Amino acid sequence: MPHLTILERTVNGQPGLVVQRDGVTVVVMAFDVAGDRIKHIWAVRNPDKLRPWTAVPQN
């Protein structure tokens, strides 16, 4: 998708991803990893809950 950026971030202490479209965070995901497998994925798309993620550093 054009204008889509996926950033690796720690989310609530878990490995995660922050997905941005045109610089606006549209989804935050956290992964529960056991060994070499992902056991659970949590995803947040609610814009009200994503407000703290709108200024995620690009580094």
Side-chain angles (χ1 to χ4, degrees):
M1 293 184 75
H3 310 285
L4 191 69
T5 304
I6 300 174
L7 306 167
E8 293 182 45
R9 295 290 182 263
T10 300
V11 178
N12 295 329
Q14 301 286 343
L17 297 174
V18 174
V19 181
Q20 297 178 332
R21 183 181 301 137
D22 295 321
V24 176
T25 301
V26 293
V27 66
V28 173
M29 294 181 276
F31 302 92
D32 178 19
V33 179
D36 62 349
R37 298 193 181 264
I38 295 173
K39 302 297 274 185
H40 296 95
I41 300 172
W42 293 273
V44 176
R45 291 192 37 136
N46 181 329
D48 292 330
K49 292 183 178 183
L50 293 174
R51 288 180 211 265
W53 291 94
T54 56
V56 173
Q58 297 291 325
N59 297 337

